[in-house]
Each structure stands twice: as C-alpha cells, then as structure tokens.
C-alpha cells in the first residue's frame, strides 16, 4: 500500500508528489498521457519565478526528474478512485494501487471550436508539436488568451505569416506579449471575429469568420492553431467529490475536497487563475496536506 497516489503528472501533480515524498511518504504518480502536462507544449515559459526563459518541455522534464530523484514511483494510466475501509484504491487500465490518500491533479484539455471542418488535417492544438510542419507557410491562430499570444509569437518565428483571430478587441494576457504581437509585422491581428468554418477537403485550405456586424470573410491559410480555452475531465470522480457546474473540483486554497483524504491541485480545481506558478503552489499545499493527513490516520 502506498501512502499517497497522485493522479496527474503535470506541474501540480509532480509538485504534490515531490512534497509528499520529501515528507517521508511513499508516493505513486499516475499519468495517462505525457508527464509535464500542457506546460510541456509551451514554446517558452517566461513567467516562472527564478527562470528567465525556458522551453516548457525542459521545465516539465526537470520537474519529473526531481520528483523521481526523491523516490516517487510512476506509472501510466488514468485512475478511477474507490473508497475502501483502509483508504482508497486507484484503478487504471494497467493495474490498481491501494493508498491512504489521493491527490487529484488531472488538469484540463483543449477546447475545440465546434465548427464544420475542424476534423481536417491541419487543425492543431499545440504550436510546439505541430508548428514545424508549417515552416514558411501562412497559418492562423484562434484565441484571446495567453496561449494564443504565445502560439502567435512562436509561429511568427518559423512561418511566413500568422493571422491572429480574436473574438474580442483585446488579448487577455501579459501586456509584454501584446506589445510584442503589435510590433511583429508577420502577425496580422483581426479583432472581434468568430470562426464559423474550416475550409478544405482533406487538409486545411482556409477559414471562414464573421465579424460583429455579420460580415463574412474567407481567408486562405494552411493550418489553424486553436487556443480557445480548456475544460476539465473529472466526471469519473463525481460520486466521491463535489464538482461545480463546469466540472471543476470544488476546493479552496487549502486544496481539500468534499471527501476526507482526497485533495486536489492545479487547473482541475475551482480557481480564478490557471498558470504554471499557481499549479505548483496548489501542488505544494496538496502534497503537504496529504502527507499530514497520512500522519494523522497512522497514529
């Protein structure tokens, strides 16, 4: 039996595992995709304390290596939690793990546009993963937030042109990023528009968008990078813990859920700001709190 099982291997989960392990607890961390979470796909991380600039993949790898160096074990799979007399059992596609406490750090996934043609080759959700395929080509970025701004700037370095389409007349991100976008002559920023269709037969050949006056524009592009937000996937835990109307785990800054012994960290919980730094903060609190909970029930 493990003291703590952490479900999710992004910054929040890795930090929770690190803090729990440093508190002397046996820890298993489970990840269904790739360790590092969405930060691993960030072109650059420039707002993480003490680090001037780092690739998201490098930062994620450092976090993973640090956790493992402190004895954290890891496995692949997405976990389902069952409450038992002794604590909990977390079952994955590959096995089951008994534990005294659980930290949920399941993160979020990319939202889709939900328009005709979005299933075409060339509709992408990660600029780092797929940007290189469109070197020296014209591409489009859809979104208003920090990720969209970062995608646009990253793609402008390798693509011939970047069309940035935003639903509002502003970007919801750091002012520094906005200033860099405005100053970049390879980025064409079109405001107050909504994408209604992705054109092309098998691969992307263009997009259709509508402005606030109802006018329709057809724009040529060879790829569409979608960065319109995120959504949680906590439905499998709904019988044990309370979720809000959007599916986020209800918990305050103490990271305690409605079920004693289950803690939550990172983007999957109710919070006003979702950044790598806030995920790490949650992870530290949840990991330490889970360790203290284990100490209490072992007495």
């Amino acid at each position: 039996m493990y003291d703590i099982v952490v479900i999710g291997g992004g910054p929040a989960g890795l930090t929770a595992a690190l803090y729990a392990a440093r508190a002397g607890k046996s820890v298993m961390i489970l990840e269904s995709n790739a360790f590092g979470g969405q930060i691993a796909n960030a072109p650059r991380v420039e707002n993480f304390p003490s680090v001037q600039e780092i690739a998201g993949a490098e930062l994620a790898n450092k976090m993973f290596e640090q956790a493992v160096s402190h004895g954290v074990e890891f496995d692949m799979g997405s976990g389902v939690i069952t409450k038992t007399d002794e604590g909990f059992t977390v079952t994955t596609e590959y096995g089951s793990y008994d534990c005294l406490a659980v930290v949920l750090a399941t993160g979020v996934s990319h939202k889709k546009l939900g328009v005709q043609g979005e299933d075409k080759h060339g509709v992408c959700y990660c600029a780092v993963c797929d940007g290189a395929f469109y070197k020296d080509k014209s591409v489009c970025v859809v979104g208003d937030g920090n990720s969209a701004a970062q995608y646009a700037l990253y793609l402008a370095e390798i693509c011939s042109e970047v069309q940035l389409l935003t639903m509002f007349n502003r970007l919801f991100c750091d002012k520094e990023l906005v200033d860099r976008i405005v100053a970049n002559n390879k980025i064409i920023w079109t405001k107050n528009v909504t994408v209604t269709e992705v054109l092309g037969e098998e691969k992307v050949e263009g997009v259709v968008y509508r402005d606030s006056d109802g006018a329709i524009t057809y724009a040529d592009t060879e790829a569409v990078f979608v960065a319109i937000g995120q959504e949680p996937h906590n439905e499998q835990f709904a019988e044990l813990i309370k979720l809000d109307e959007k599916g986020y785990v209800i918990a305050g800054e103490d990271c305690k859920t409605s079920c004693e012994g289950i803690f939550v960290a990172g983007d999957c919980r109710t919070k006003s700001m979702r950044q790598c730094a806030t995920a790490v903060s949650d992870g530290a609190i949840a990991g330490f709190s889970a360790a203290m909970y284990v100490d209490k029930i072992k007495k």
Side-chain angles (χ1 to χ4, degrees), residues 26-75:
S26 58
V27 183
M28 166 63 74
I29 186 168
L30 304 171
E31 171 56 50
S32 59
N33 294 306
F35 283 91
Q38 291 197 44
I39 197 65
N41 296 325
R44 294 188 185 89
V45 178
E46 301 175 313
N47 58 357
F48 195 78
S50 82
V51 181
Q52 187 75 18
E53 178 184 312
I54 189 171
E58 183 181 356
L59 178 61
N61 189 55
K62 287 179 179 290
M63 290 182 178
F64 176 76
E65 290 180 347
Q66 186 178 21
V68 171
S69 73
H70 282 81
V72 173
E73 297 182 39
F74 63 92
D75 203 350

Side-chain angles (χ1 to χ4, degrees), residues 6-18 29 67 103-105 265-266 279 283:
V6 179
I7 303 176
L14 290 169
T15 304
L18 173 64
I29 186 168
V103 175
L104 291 177

